[in-house]
Amino acid sequence: MATPRPVQTTPTEIELSTVSGPIVSETPSQVAVEVARELETPLLGPPPLDQVALATLLIQHFSNSWGLRTAEFAVYLFLVTLFPDTLLPASIYGFATTGIAIVLSGWAGRLVDEHHNLRVVRTSIITIKLAACMMYAGSLALLYRLHAPSDIPKSWATPLASGMFSLIVIGGCIHTLAGVTISVAVEREWVTSIASGSSAHLTTLNTYMRRIDLLCKLLAPLFVSLLTSTASYRFTAIFLCGVEAGCLIFELLWTEISYRRFPALGDAQRSKEASRSARTRDEYPRSSDTLPPYLVAWRKLLARLQSVLYDWREFSQFPIFLSSVSISCLYLTVLSFDGTMLSYLKAHAYSDPFLAGMRGLNVVAGLAGTIAMPLLERRLGLVRAGNWSIWSEVFCLLPVLIAFYVGAPSDGSRGPAWNAVLLFGGMMMSRIGLWAFDLCQLKELQLALAAHPRRNSLTALQYSLQNVADMLKYILTIILSQPSQFKYAALVSFISVLAGASTYLAYVKKERGHILHHALGDMMIPLLKGKTR
């Protein structure tokens, strides 16, 4: 019996075997191909973003955000100025605009899924500008009509005054819905397509977008307050209406440039259209039957309702749904510089420049949160970074709640300095955790739905959840419309934020298998440690 000859191993095979494991039947060339495939992505990394295209996208987003934030602050300021003794008009306005967002946010997401994205963005820009001009025109008419505080109760009952307020509310509803549509199209769809699966690019784009939002939140109220202080409320309404009209052309131009310079946007649009064409061919035989028009319309309505219910059922089965519920709970709060808090502070004799300055400090703290988020993500991971962020917000809001019950001022007066420090300082510090968590949750949502064929429809459902919480806030302030009752709304708000943080713990447990980091859990709270991945 012949002795088997020993297998001669080349140095190349020995070197490759240390990377890919023992080589049994593959040739060195085959192994080399496999190793190259394994190492290609980490070595090369994602291609860099087109800086010119990125600049045009950010310019467009800044202009759009500036208009949205300016209107958000100015309209509430006009209503509070006209009706300083009650939160009811601002609450009615907020209730109506939030309600329309709840009902039609899903429809806005389907617009992005089913129509050409560039056309949707253009239409949204035009709609936003026209709606803003409508609100400013209604406010201007009221400011001319209700020029003196003594005239407000009498004039408000006139058809002109009630009609102008209705015009403001209708314009606000259209403005909000168009804002949701462009947010889904640009901040969700475009950003995800441009990132092309790169986590680093996704973080970069999200961070830039959020910083622009916060910068506009800082500068727009200061700008409006400067106009009202140096000129007048009437001039402010006229000037802001002109700015909106002027920005319309520039935003359409920058949007066109951004779309053309990012090839990934065109590729994503063509892929979406091909998928939609395939679905249309499949559905064509069923829709070719001759039916009465009313029956066709009824079937379309039923199909739409079934589609909405199916989207909700599917979305609720994703683990990310808990994260969406968590961030939605943060919207049921009056502990931020929104219209209701602004009305309360104005009732306590705080001036417009002071309130704009305090809001500016809150936005600076929010910018710090956008800087902290990437650092936390690199050190803790995305899910744990969100957990740390939301709980830091809870702890920072505790002194704010205390300020409403200890040393709180009576109506029409300010409280002691230490009470103001608790109130404004706590709100400011809470913004760091809030905006860091917002970025974490946004990225979690984008990654969870990145490959879903109806990701924009499902993303819009989170907007609906957020607007449900926002509407509950306005219902709360409509019921508790007196400034002396605001402390009860503050208590409900803190409970809602605490519930959001607790819900996020359930998401952390579902995603990671444990709540605390395993090393910390082993040392401190073994009972909380679950089965790790």
Side-chain angles (χ1 to χ4, degrees):
M1 183 164 159
T3 304
R5 295 176 58 189
V7 178
Q8 299 295 324
T9 306
T10 65
T12 302
E13 292 175 323
I14 295 174
E15 190 173 316
L16 289 173
S17 66
T18 63
V19 179
S20 301
I23 300 176
V24 180
S25 59
E26 293 179 323
T27 65
S29 61
Q30 291 173 327
V31 177
V33 169
E34 294 297 325
V35 173
R37 287 175 179 172
E38 292 176 6
L39 300 181
E40 181 179 3
T41 301
L43 289 176
L44 296 179
L49 294 172
D50 184 339
Q51 295 302 308
V52 175
L54 179 61
T56 58
L57 177 65
L58 296 180
I59 289 172
Q60 185 278 328
H61 184 62
F62 176 83
S63 178
N64 179 70
S65 296
W66 179 270
L68 292 173
R69 302 308 178 189
T70 300
E72 175 186 287
F73 184 81
V75 172
Y76 275 112
L77 188 61
F78 293 151
L79 293 176
V80 170
T81 302
L82 291 165
F83 305 99
D85 299 325
T86 177
L87 305 177
L88 193 58
S91 297
I92 292 174
Y93 172 81
F95 180 87
T97 54
T98 305
I100 200 71
I102 292 173
V103 175
L104 296 179
S105 285
W107 172 76
R110 285 192 294 274
L111 280 180
V112 180
D113 278 333
E114 297 174 0
H115 295 82
H116 194 285
N117 203 262
L118 183 59
R119 285 196 292 269
V120 170
V121 173
R122 286 173 176 170
T123 304
S124 299
I125 291 173
I126 295 172
T127 305
I128 287 171
K129 302 308 178 187
L130 293 178
C133 291
M134 185 188 304
M135 290 189 291
Y136 292 137
S139 300
L140 182 63
L142 284 177
L143 289 167
Y144 271 107
R145 180 65 176 168
L146 311 179
H147 59 278
S150 59
D151 295 336
I152 291 176
K154 180 179 177 181
S155 299
W156 183 248
T158 64
L160 175 63
S162 58
M164 289 302 100
F165 180 71
S166 300
L167 184 67
I168 294 173
V169 172
I170 293 172
C173 292
I174 299 172
H175 193 263
T176 299
L177 185 59
V180 171
T181 305
I182 198 171
S183 181
V184 173
V186 175
E187 298 181 41
R188 299 323 193 248
E189 172 70 11
W190 282 23
V191 165
T192 305
S193 299
I194 293 169
S196 301
S198 169
S199 178
H201 286 346
L202 195 59
T203 299
T204 300
L205 290 166
N206 286 336
T207 302
Y208 282 152
M209 291 288 187
R210 281 296 183 262
R211 286 175 183 171
I212 287 174
D213 286 339
L214 285 168
L215 190 63
C216 292
K217 275 193 171 183
L218 168 62
L219 298 179
L222 292 174
F223 181 67
V224 173
S225 298
L226 178 65
L227 289 176
T228 57
S229 300
T230 58
S232 66
Y233 283 90
R234 299 173 185 175
F235 174 80
T236 300
I238 296 171
F239 184 82
L240 293 179
C241 186
V243 170
E244 289 294 304
C247 289
L248 173 61
I249 299 174
F250 291 101
E251 288 190 29
L252 292 175
L253 175 64
W254 289 120
T255 301
E256 176 75 21
I257 296 174
S258 300
Y259 187 85
R260 300 304 176 194
R261 289 193 65 98
F262 278 117
L265 297 178
D267 295 340
Q269 181 62 40
R270 285 187 290 273
S271 175
K272 185 168 63 175
E273 290 175 351
S275 176
R276 186 167 61 248
S277 298
R279 290 198 303 270
T280 303
R281 287 194 300 269
D282 293 340
E283 295 172 359
Y284 179 76
R286 294 194 299 269
S287 61
S288 60
D289 298 332
T290 303
L291 295 173
Y294 72 90
L295 189 56
V296 173
W298 176 251
R299 285 191 172 185
K300 287 183 178 180
L301 178 61
L302 287 180
R304 183 67 68 185
L305 291 175
Q306 290 174 352
S307 176
V308 171
L309 293 175
Y310 177 77
D311 286 346
W312 275 110
R313 184 170 63 250
E314 184 178 10
F315 185 47
S316 64
Q317 293 172 353
F318 278 90
I320 194 64
F321 180 73
L322 290 173
S323 178
S324 296
V325 171
S326 175
I327 196 170
S328 299
C329 289
L330 305 188
Y331 282 74
L332 204 172
T333 179
V334 298
L335 304 179
S336 62
F337 273 94
D338 61 357
T340 51
M341 174 63 82
L342 183 64
S343 300
Y344 169 79
L345 295 174
K346 288 282 288 183
H348 289 279
Y350 288 102
S351 65
D352 291 349
F354 175 81
L355 294 178
M358 289 297 100
R359 180 168 178 159
L361 290 177
N362 276 255
V363 173
V364 170
L367 288 171
T370 66
I371 296 173
M373 180 270 175
L375 302 176
L376 289 172
E377 182 187 8
R378 285 195 293 269
R379 186 166 183 84
L380 302 174
L382 183 61
V383 176
R384 290 176 61 209
N387 197 30
W388 283 66
S389 299
I390 192 171
W391 280 100
S392 71
E393 180 187 1
V394 172
F395 292 128
C396 290
L397 285 178
L398 187 57
V400 179
L401 181 64
I402 294 173
F404 284 101
Y405 288 89
V406 181
S410 58
D411 291 349
S413 63
R414 299 188 187 183
W418 63 265
N419 182 274
V421 170
L422 289 179
L423 177 63
F424 294 108
M427 279 199 297
M428 183 182 69
M429 295 303 296
S430 70
R431 301 304 94 178
I432 300 176
L434 170 64
W435 284 96
F437 176 72
D438 179 81
L439 277 175
C440 290
Q441 200 281 330
L442 173 60
K443 187 173 181 180
E444 290 166 359
L445 182 69
Q446 290 169 327
L447 293 176
L449 303 178
H452 199 284
R454 301 189 320 281
R455 64 187 179 195
N456 296 304
S457 298
L458 298 186
T459 297
L461 297 182
Q462 177 169 302
Y463 280 95
S464 296
L465 285 174
Q466 293 169 355
N467 284 303
V468 166
D470 214 16
M471 174 174 275
L472 291 175
K473 175 188 71 175
Y474 289 116
I475 293 175
L476 184 66
T477 54
I478 287 174
I479 296 173
L480 306 173
S481 59
Q482 298 303 313
S484 60
Q485 300 172 317
F486 195 76
K487 61 182 180 180
Y488 303 115
L491 176 61
V492 174
S493 301
F494 181 80
I495 293 173
S496 178
V497 174
L498 182 62
S502 302
T503 304
Y504 193 78
L505 284 180
Y507 170 72
V508 173
K509 183 70 165 65
K510 201 166 188 177
E511 280 291 303
R512 296 176 53 83
H514 53 271
I515 294 177
L516 296 177
H517 185 55
H518 59 85
L520 186 61
D522 288 339
M523 292 186 295
M524 298 180 61
I525 313 178
L527 293 177
L528 291 180
K529 178 176 166 52
K531 182 178 179 182
T532 60
R533 289 185 178 181

